Amino acid sequence: MIYDSIIIGAGPAGISATIYAARKGIKFKVISENIGGQVTKTSIVENYTGYQEITGQELVKKFQNHLKEFNFDFTQSSVEKINKDNHFYTVATSSEIFQSKTIIIATGAKPKELNVSGEREFRGKGVTYCATCDAPLFHNKEVAVIGGGNSALESALQLTGIAKMVYILNINSKFSGDKILVNKLENNGKVIIFHNAITTEIKGEKFVKGINFFQDNKINDISVQGVFIEIGFVPNTKLVENLVKLNRKNEIEITASGQTSEKNIFAAGDCTNTPYKQIIIASGFGAIAALSAFNYLAKEK
Amino acid sequence: MNVIVYTTPTCPYCHMAMDFLKKNNIDFQEIDVSKNEAIAIDIINRSGHIGAPIIEIGEQFVAGFDEEKIKNLLYL
C-alpha cells in the first residue's frame, strides 16, 4: 500500500498537519517518537490563542484528545531513513518500511549544547536541559540558568519557586525574551542577572559544584549545584540533509506554502527556516504543509 | 524484582517510563520526589544522578527513560 502522505513528527506542527490531513480525507500515517514534541517539556504556555495560561502537559493532552477524533495510522518510532524512488518515497523505521507519495517533515528541534568543559561530564549530575523535568530536584540549591531567551527566562522563573538562588548568565547585553518575563525576574530577590557573561567551564566532583564565566575581562566563579542550559535549539534535520535543501543553520528551507526543494516534500515547524519558533507558528505551518500536500496530490491525479 | 520510579510532577519522561512499565505489566511504586526532599537527596546520592525519572530496579539504577536498559534489567 502506498500512502498519500507520511507525517514525520507529532509536535504542534505534526499534530496540526494530522488534523488537516484527516479532515481532507487523504490516506496518511504519522510516525513519531512521541506526541507533543517540545511542548511536553514546556512548563507554562501563555501565548497560545484560546488559553491564557496552560501547562505544556495539559496542552499536549488537549492535542491528543483532538487527535482522537480521527482515524489514522500511527507508529511510535523514530525514522531511520527516507529514500526517494521513482514515484514515491520509502520511509524506514528500525523495523518497518512504508511507502508514500508525499512527506511532511515536522521533526522539530532539540536543545543546543553549550560546548564547554564539564558540560558532558556533569550531564545528569547537575547539568540539565529540561527545567520542567528536573527543577524540583534543586530545592534550596543555588542554580545557574544559561541563556537569555524565553526558554531561559521561563526556566529561571520556575526555579525561583524552588531554588535558594537563581543566577542568569546571558551572553548578550540584553535579554531577547519577552519583557513581561524580564520584569518578573528583575523584581525577584532570589535572582541575580549577569549580562555579557560567557560561560567557560562547569566544575564539580561527583556532582556540579560551580561554574566559571568570563565577564568584564575577567573570569568569575560562582558556586552552583545546578546548571540549566537554555541557549536555543538545533533543528532535527539530519534525516533529510541529503534529500532537501537546508540553510546555514541546518533548517529546512520552505516556501510560503510549506514546500521544500523537493516538490512532494513539505515541512513545518521548528525544523524549518521560519524565523520564530513558537507553538502557534508551528501549528499554523503544520496546517499549511498538510493543505499543500493535499493540493499537490489533487493536481497529480 | 522491586521497581521504584522517582518522579517530578511535570516530567514527560517519567510518564513515558511509567506507561512503558504498565504496558509490560510491571508492578512499580511511584515516588514524587518534589514532595519529599529527604528522599530526593537520598536517591540522588545513591544513584549518582540528578534528573527525572530515576528508576530503581532491584539494586540497579536507570537514569532517565532508557528503554533498552529497563528491558535488560527486567528481562523483557
Side-chain angles (χ1 to χ4, degrees), chain A residues 261-281:
Chain A
S261 56
E262 286 288 306
K263 63 180 187 208
N264 40 7
I265 300 184
F266 303 85
D270 286 8
C271 63
T272 71
N273 62 346
T274 46
Y276 308 108
K277 311 305 192 213
Q278 296 291 318
I279 301 170
I280 197 157
I281 291 171

Side-chain angles (χ1 to χ4, degrees), chain A residues 219-267:
Chain A
I219 297 279
N220 300 276
D221 177 305
I222 48 175
S223 159
V224 292
Q225 296 80 53
V227 181
F228 290 75
I229 299 173
E230 303 276 3
I231 54 167
F233 298 90
V234 283
N236 296 322
T237 53
K238 193 114 194 83
L239 176 70
V240 294
E241 65 183 0
N242 297 317
L243 209 57
V244 297
K245 195 170 173 217
L246 306 182
N247 69 8
R248 275 184 301 126
K249 293 188 210 160
N250 285 326
E251 298 164 335
I252 301 169
E253 289 192 358
I254 56 166
T255 65
S257 53
Q259 199 167 39
T260 67
S261 56
E262 286 288 306
K263 63 180 187 208
N264 40 7
I265 300 184
F266 303 85

